[in-house]
Amino acid sequence: MTTAFGIDFGGTGIKGAPVDLAAGRFAAERVRIKTPEKSTPTKVADVFLELLDSFPNHDGPIGVTVPGVVRHGVVSSAANIDESWIGCDADKLFSDRLGRPVHAVNDADAAGLAEVRFGAAKGRNGLVIVTTLGTGIGSALVYDGVLLPNTELGHLEIDGHEAEARASNRAREEKELSWKEWGERLTTYYRTLEMLFSPDLFLVGGGVSKDWAEFGDLIDIETEIIPATLRNKAGVIGAALYASEQA
Ligand code: BGC
């Protein structure tokens, strides 16, 4: 079995598992460690090392997600993470700390790759836009299976507001929006994406996609829109896939 190791760095937990690359499944039970209070790159690197220590037999490529722009391993935005990530050469820092090559990828891009290869958008051609609704809004554009990274469509300004400040799951929780109210905001968001990109399919990920039955029908757009199926496994699987393709 060919495997790569995937690590998903999230706001509350850092999760990792070896991934069977042919099946797109965890090859062993995943381990989760709480995200450190002030999650600076060096503190997060320490957690990655601790995670990897739980899998002493794994020696394949390692991929990690970062919730920010990652260009050639270097992080250049930090909307929802500690500012010290900006300018950090994550590939170098993590590779030095873990003693083997590590490849960092934007969290939504990782989720997008995983969903298109093994999840809800498997076998779908044309333009698939994967959005993750969480603390922020992440986006991945995948055309005929090829990822166009770092699209950052959560930061689109619509009617004078940043999209993720209005329509993320955090906005829903903090503003105590009803599903209907949130559905209206999501409709505005997805209609804007529809107008700009004319995609063939939208896929909605993030933890809240488990509540799809509550809000899916409230998003009133022309394009087909479906919930993600890999849910909270998408980051780990996508990070592993990404790493295996960089080596
Ligand atoms: C960040 C993106 C990230 C998204 C989801 C946004 O605020 O800018 O890079 O993918 O949140 O975590």
Side-chain angles (χ1 to χ4, degrees), residues 66-69 77 79-80 106-108 132 135-139 152 155 164:
V66 174
V69 171
S77 80
N80 296 307
N106 170 265
D107 57 352
T132 59
T135 308
I137 295 182
S139 62
E152 293 292 319
H155 299 291
E164 77 173 23

Side-chain angles (χ1 to χ4, degrees), residues 206-220:
V208 73
S209 58
K210 70 177 188 319
D211 295 316
W212 184 251
E214 305 282 354
F215 69 93
D217 282 346
L218 302 171
I219 305 172
D220 183 14

Side-chain angles (χ1 to χ4, degrees), residues 44-239:
V44 168
D46 288 344
V47 176
F48 290 173
L49 191 62
E50 193 185 332
L51 250 180
L52 218 61
D53 281 347
S54 317
F55 299 89
N57 297 325
H58 182 80
D59 61 359
I62 303 171
V64 307
T65 69
V66 174
V69 171
V70 188
R71 275 146 75 207
H72 313 293
V74 179
V75 180
S76 58
S77 80
N80 296 307
I81 48 176
D82 194 81
E83 272 189 7
S84 56
W85 282 91
I86 295 180
C88 167
D89 187 338
D91 279 10
K92 180 167 186 334
L93 174 78
F94 300 147
S95 300
D96 287 352
R97 192 79 179 92
L98 302 183
R100 13 193 185 133
V102 179
H103 301 279
V105 57
N106 170 265
D107 57 352
D109 283 339
L113 268 183
E115 290 291 345
V116 167
R117 298 281 172 80
F118 297 109
K122 187 174 172 185
R124 298 289 298 252
N125 278 330
L127 179 62
V128 179
I129 300 188
V130 180
T131 52
T132 59
L133 305 176
T135 308
I137 295 182
S139 62
L141 252 66
V142 186
Y143 186 76
D144 282 353
V146 178
L147 172 74
L148 171 69
N150 295 311
T151 45
E152 293 292 319
L153 300 179
H155 299 291
L156 268 182
E157 191 181 306
I158 304 171
D159 299 334
H161 301 280
E162 186 185 43
E164 77 173 23
R166 295 274 300 167
S168 64
N169 190 46
R170 171 158 74 185
R172 180 185 70 83
E173 288 173 347
E174 284 183 359
K175 308 259 161 44
E176 298 180 10
L177 301 176
S178 64
W179 291 114
K180 188 167 172 294
E181 287 165 324
W182 194 45
E184 282 162 14
R185 292 185 178 198
L186 291 173
T187 296
T188 302
Y189 180 56
Y190 288 106
R191 278 192 186 168
T192 306
L193 296 185
E194 221 175 18
M195 185 259 294
L196 292 171
F197 298 100
S198 304
D200 295 287
L201 177 70
F202 283 116
L203 209 134
V204 182
V208 73
S209 58
K210 70 177 188 319
D211 295 316
W212 184 251
E214 305 282 354
F215 69 93
D217 282 346
L218 302 171
I219 305 172
D220 183 14
I221 55 172
E222 298 297 319
T223 310
E224 184 184 357
I225 182 163
I226 57 173
T229 47
L230 297 174
R231 304 243 174 99
N232 57 7
K233 291 186 177 153
V236 170
I237 295 174

